[in-house]
Amino acid sequence: MNPVIAEPVTVLVSMLSHYAYCPRRCALMFVEQTYEDNEYTLRGQAVHENVDEPGWVQREGQRIERALLVWHDELGLQGKCDVVVFRDDGTPYPVEYKSGKRGYKRADDIQLCAQAMCLEAMFGKPVHEGAIYYHSSRRRRNVTFDEPLRQLTLRTIEQVRQLLETMRIPPPVNDHRCPNCSVVGLCLPEAVASLRQHTDDRDLYALQEE
Ligand code: SF4
């Protein structure tokens, strides 16, 4: 009988930015499947509505695709690009739309880099750069997919896959990221952190008593 080889768990590109923002947020959303809208996510959805409808246009000799599904079989990665501009020579240039002025830069970059890796695998062209477009400031930030960013993206893919496989919920970071977080109402970072501190204190006290 042939041994059963387990398929690697598929990681969604969108999970990467949530994990890079806070691993607990990614776990609450995709392991616990709890999700709560707040003003930031609602604004984000409104921005994405403009680019969520698949389609394409030809402009100045360049093909511009909206809501393009992308994947990378080897990495077990799937996702969607808001916009991909195909240069004259066919090289893809991904653009991700964000609702805020400037989000959590590293998380945005990882998400975009993962999209670029998928596009490279699909179209066989190296993708060296892309851009994040911040809707409220109407500014575009170019991102170069250099080796450190690629390595960070690969590490994040593996970390998310581990999270999905183990289904463990990490502890709260309980810092400046929490007030703007979409799942703060479910996460209760302060309450959980104080409970953990209380438990640690009690364990320490019990050790001292032994
Ligand atoms: S509220 Fe804070 S700890 Fe909880 S998921 Fe969000 S960022 Fe992470």
Side-chain angles (χ1 to χ4, degrees), residues 14-160:
S14 58
M15 292 174 177
L16 303 176
S17 61
H18 290 297
Y19 186 94
Y21 186 87
C22 169
R24 182 174 170 86
R25 171 157 116 172
C26 182
L28 288 173
M29 290 174 74
F30 298 102
V31 175
E32 292 269 295
Q33 311 237 330
T34 51
Y35 192 65
E36 218 181 37
D37 280 320
N38 64 13
E39 77 171 290
Y40 297 96
T41 56
L42 289 172
R43 212 189 300 158
Q45 282 164 20
V47 167
H48 276 97
E49 268 167 23
N50 298 326
V51 283
D52 260 359
E53 196 63 34
W56 64 275
V57 291
Q58 193 81 20
R59 201 172 288 155
E60 293 168 13
Q62 297 183 330
R63 184 181 172 93
I64 302 173
E65 292 263 4
R66 284 192 317 267
L68 183 68
L69 294 178
V70 292
W71 61 88
H72 192 310
D73 288 337
E74 245 174 74
L75 296 178
L77 196 60
Q78 285 179 16
K80 187 161 70 170
C81 295
D82 286 340
V83 168
V84 180
V85 179
F86 287 88
R87 308 278 204 210
D88 295 349
D89 66 352
T91 300
Y93 179 90
V95 183
E96 174 69 16
Y97 281 64
K98 297 288 177 192
S99 58
K101 284 182 190 151
R102 288 218 169 184
Y104 194 51
K105 187 170 164 285
R106 189 178 64 153
D108 295 345
D109 292 358
I110 289 171
Q111 182 180 5
L112 193 67
C113 185
Q115 292 175 3
M117 288 171 161
C118 290
L119 290 166
E120 284 176 337
M122 291 168 67
F123 296 99
K125 294 252 181 200
V127 181
H128 298 298
E129 53 178 12
I132 310 277
Y133 180 79
Y134 296 95
H135 190 259
S136 54
S137 60
R138 303 277 196 275
R139 301 198 68 154
R140 203 169 81 162
R141 180 170 65 80
N142 286 326
V143 179
T144 302
F145 307 123
D146 57 17
E147 197 49 33
L149 178 57
R150 285 172 185 268
Q151 289 304 320
L152 179 62
T153 304
L154 289 173
R155 278 202 303 279
T156 310
I157 294 168
E158 272 325 297
Q159 286 164 342
V160 170

